[in-house]
Amino acid sequence: MSETKIALVTGANKGIGYEIATGLGALGYRVGVGARDEARRESAVQKLRGAGVDAFGVPLDVTGDQSVTDAAELIERQAGHLDVLVNNAGISGETGPGWVQDPTTLDLDVVRTVVETNVIGVIRVTNAMLPLLQRSTSPRIVNVSSAVASLTRQADPDIEIGPIMAAYSPSKSFLNAVTVQYARQFAGTNILINAVCPGLVATDFTGFHGPRTPEQGAATAIRLATLPDGGPTGSFFEDAGVIPW
């Protein structure tokens, strides 16, 4: 097995995912750029290579069983193992005025679509990549969540948590709960898995509203992806530390 550490970042063709790929590449990782759109994926790969990152494209639609299987087979051929998986790909789902998802009028198809990407997609990718991760001496999994997943913060009227997002916010709470289940399953092993909130980052996901840059949003994810052995697992982090569930 090659000594070069291998990472896969889903949704890595732009925004926070791209910056996570950049940061891991700067640390010497060979980075698989997971993305659905071929042109955007290859553009990101070329840009990363231009910055000195050893990057390769991974065609990947997290909602498709065959796409995910094919991605795992590609990484098998390219590298033979995987050290880091960052489940970054995610969607907000259709919103109304003010970026609101009103629970009383919510289209159930919106909920299904958001959960399919933000939760089921993460499970699908994680399980497909597990055989490759288990060949690593220090495998790390990072699930990109959001502070709006915190039920503690959502339920506190004194905390400003943003608009009501009745599909997106619960999908990230669901993702956090799944993260804990994986951590329980991997207890006593060398696999560390954590959830991370990048903060409100100015990307196309937020309509470029937010005080944080994509580089800032990527920082904690990169730290969790490179945790030393014995580091935390089954936790939820932001820059300032642990976020309450």
Side-chain angles (χ1 to χ4, degrees), residues 130-197:
L130 267 176
L132 294 166
L133 286 160
Q134 288 168 332
R135 297 177 190 172
S136 171
T137 57
S138 300
R140 304 291 180 258
I141 302 172
V142 181
N143 293 334
V144 177
S145 184
S146 169
V148 300
S150 171
L151 299 180
T152 299
R153 291 183 179 179
Q154 287 277 357
D156 189 336
D158 295 325
I159 295 177
E160 173 52 50
I161 199 69
I164 293 172
M165 295 283 284
Y168 176 72
S169 295
S171 80
K172 291 299 188 178
S173 301
F174 192 172
L175 175 61
N176 284 359
V178 166
T179 302
V180 172
Q181 297 307 305
Y182 274 106
R184 293 181 63 204
Q185 181 65 34
F186 297 144
T189 76
N190 57 353
I191 298 177
L192 304 181
I193 178 169
N194 292 286
V196 63
C197 169

Side-chain angles (χ1 to χ4, degrees), residues 9-13 33-38 40-41 58-61:
V9 183
T10 69
N13 60 293
V33 177
R36 292 177 299 178
D37 186 278
E38 181 179 3
R40 291 177 179 176
R41 181 178 64 248
V58 180
L60 181 57
D61 177 353

Side-chain angles (χ1 to χ4, degrees), residues 81-228:
H81 74 286
L82 189 64
D83 298 282
V84 169
L85 170 62
V86 181
N87 288 304
N88 167 73
I91 60 173
S92 63
E94 184 179 346
T95 62
W99 224 51
V100 167
Q101 291 169 330
D102 182 342
T104 67
T105 58
L106 193 59
D107 185 336
L108 294 183
D109 284 337
V110 171
V111 178
R112 292 187 184 100
T113 299
V114 171
V115 170
E116 179 64 45
T117 296
N118 294 358
V119 183
I120 298 173
V122 169
I123 297 170
R124 181 181 287 116
V125 172
T126 300
N127 289 350
M129 300 301 163
L130 267 176
L132 294 166
L133 286 160
Q134 288 168 332
R135 297 177 190 172
S136 171
T137 57
S138 300
R140 304 291 180 258
I141 302 172
V142 181
N143 293 334
V144 177
S145 184
S146 169
V148 300
S150 171
L151 299 180
T152 299
R153 291 183 179 179
Q154 287 277 357
D156 189 336
D158 295 325
I159 295 177
E160 173 52 50
I161 199 69
I164 293 172
M165 295 283 284
Y168 176 72
S169 295
S171 80
K172 291 299 188 178
S173 301
F174 192 172
L175 175 61
N176 284 359
V178 166
T179 302
V180 172
Q181 297 307 305
Y182 274 106
R184 293 181 63 204
Q185 181 65 34
F186 297 144
T189 76
N190 57 353
I191 298 177
L192 304 181
I193 178 169
N194 292 286
V196 63
C197 169
L200 186 56
V201 176
T203 66
D204 60 353
F205 185 88
T206 62
F208 296 96
H209 294 294
R212 292 167 62 79
T213 66
E215 293 88 348
Q216 289 172 322
T220 299
I222 293 168
R223 180 178 68 81
L224 294 173
T226 57
L227 284 171

